[in-house]
Amino acid sequence: MPHFRVKMPLSQIKMPHHMYAVPLLSELCAFFADCREVHIVIPDSVNSLIRSPKLLQLHVQIASIFCRFKPDELLMPSDDKRPLAQVFKDFSERVSRKVLMIDKNNLVFASHEYFTAICLLHRPRMYLLAHLPPNSSIFQMYGQELETSLLEATNAAQHAALISTYQWLATKGLPPNEAWIQTVGTFEVPQVFRAWSWDWADGMRFMEIATTLWFALCRVPAVWLNRIQFDRVAAQQGLGVILECCKTIEEALVTGIDYMSSKESEVRWRPTLMTPVVQCITQMVLEVAGVADASVNSVELAMSVLSISDQDGDLETIRTGDTPLALMGLLGVEFLGGVRWRAPYEEAWRRYWIEVQHG
């Protein structure tokens, strides 16, 4: 996906009070771009994938951003294992302290951005756990660092999915999900958000969160998951939440209407920029559930558009082959049956992982 940068001296711009989060959010967006630039380049060795000056700079960069967030500007996980009802009650109280609606939205948005950044940072290291031979000497040298990356990435993804569940329940007009409501128990989450606060940009973050959860569930060896006390049930539920959120965003893009509007007539489905994301996460959910179609023959997920048919003038779906929008794609991994993500760097990453597996 092509991108460009414009340097803006935000420190020299006087922000209105309600725009306090803009500088840090802008830095998080810059971090996404920096992370992508580092990770889409094939490393020259396993050692450089684990440790390199550029990777070290990324760690310093995200730590610096986190330190400048005030305690009330991020929805952080608690140290204890509390019931979901208590977690969502705490989230609701934190949100209620924000007077302006834009501050309420920024609190959730910034939290999503930060935990997505953590997933993005650690994903290539997490991939190594599934591709290195079990007796690799890399585990002796860098085992602790790889375990830490797995823990950081999965914790961030699971917490981001938890925030997504809360945001869904706290948004007016979205269809009620009885299963999610039951997990909250007697606590009724106040609905303070509006449906327009959800858009296709959320799908880019959801894709990253889902990839982390899916890879941990389906690819990382159990011995590593046991070391970090990985909660498979919570991760699987979180992946399901992310898929439902993405489907709802895609539906809004297709219908061109507000989530809160009722559909008076049937709207014909059409591909959107969210379609490859929904297809991708659907494959993840199917594989986790053990019902993925192993007979699928190397399908590549790419962008599609509507075009007028030469025969009857009707609209038909045309696969353009363009790279779908995502923060970082799948970095060479594929689903059961060979379903892949289309991007210029994906094939090179696939070859790299094969080389890693063969030592």
Side-chain angles (χ1 to χ4, degrees), residues 63-325:
S64 173
I65 294 172
F66 175 73
C67 288
R68 282 178 286 127
F69 273 107
K70 297 177 182 177
D72 65 341
E73 293 174 355
L74 289 175
L75 295 173
M76 298 297 294
S78 60
D79 296 330
D80 56 337
K81 295 289 185 180
R82 293 178 296 171
L84 277 182
Q86 185 60 49
V87 172
F88 290 164
K89 184 177 181 180
D90 290 346
F91 285 174
S92 298
E93 290 175 352
R94 294 277 304 279
V95 170
S96 68
R97 295 181 199 138
K98 303 293 183 182
V99 178
L100 299 176
M101 192 65 219
I102 191 170
D103 289 341
K104 298 178 188 292
N105 287 323
N106 279 340
L107 176 59
V108 174
F109 179 73
S111 301
H112 267 302
E113 291 276 285
Y114 173 72
F115 289 108
T116 300
I118 296 299
C119 294
L120 202 66
L121 174 63
H122 290 283
R123 182 146 62 97
R125 278 183 176 181
M126 183 178 70
Y127 277 15
L128 274 177
L129 294 172
H131 290 97
L132 283 168
N135 60 349
S136 173
S137 60
I138 294 295
F139 292 134
Q140 296 178 345
M141 293 185 290
Y142 302 115
Q144 187 57 54
E145 291 178 57
L146 296 178
E147 182 180 327
T148 298
S149 283
L150 176 64
L151 180 64
E152 292 282 342
T154 53
N155 280 353
Q158 287 182 289
H159 188 65
L162 203 61
I163 295 173
S164 300
T165 308
Y166 161 74
Q167 187 182 9
W168 180 290
L169 296 174
T171 300
K172 296 179 181 179
L174 293 183
N177 188 303
E178 295 301 327
W180 302 351
I181 293 174
Q182 290 175 9
T183 62
V184 185
T186 57
F187 176 67
E188 186 174 343
V189 177
Q191 293 189 321
V192 296
F193 298 111
R194 299 292 187 271
W196 52 257
S197 63
W198 294 64
D199 60 28
W200 65 267
D202 293 307
M204 306 303 103
R205 295 187 293 276
F206 286 145
M207 171 75 177
E208 184 60 34
I209 295 163
T211 303
T212 298
L213 293 175
W214 161 75
F215 194 85
L217 285 164
C218 293
R219 296 292 188 272
V220 175
V223 61
W224 291 100
L225 298 179
N226 293 337
R227 289 186 186 184
I228 65 169
Q229 298 180 323
F230 181 66
D231 190 336
R232 295 186 63 90
V233 174
Q236 191 166 352
Q237 290 173 342
L239 187 58
V241 168
I242 295 302
L243 177 58
E244 289 305 311
C245 292
C246 288
K247 283 182 176 179
T248 302
I249 295 171
E250 183 186 35
E251 183 180 352
L253 291 175
V254 169
T255 59
I257 60 176
D258 190 293
Y259 297 96
M260 300 175 67
S261 302
S262 60
K263 299 184 187 126
E264 298 179 357
S265 59
E266 189 68 23
V267 179
R268 179 179 176 179
W269 182 88
R270 61 182 174 84
T272 72
L273 49 78
M274 277 295 297
T275 300
V277 173
V278 171
Q279 292 172 333
C280 188
I281 300 177
T282 298
Q283 288 295 323
M284 295 177 187
V285 171
L286 290 175
E287 187 168 335
V288 169
V291 294
D293 187 357
S295 65
V296 176
N297 186 20
S298 299
V299 174
E300 193 174 52
L301 299 175
M303 292 291 285
S304 299
V305 296
L306 283 181
S307 179
I308 298 178
S309 171
D310 292 335
Q311 283 74 26
D312 51 19
D314 287 342
L315 291 176
E316 61 180 0
T317 301
I318 301 296
R319 187 175 182 275
T320 67
D322 291 340
T323 300
L325 295 180

Side-chain angles (χ1 to χ4, degrees), residues 130-134 350-359:
H131 290 97
L132 283 168
R350 271 188 281 278
R351 291 195 299 269
Y352 176 79
W353 295 126
I354 293 174
E355 293 174 3
V356 169
Q357 287 177 316
H358 291 85

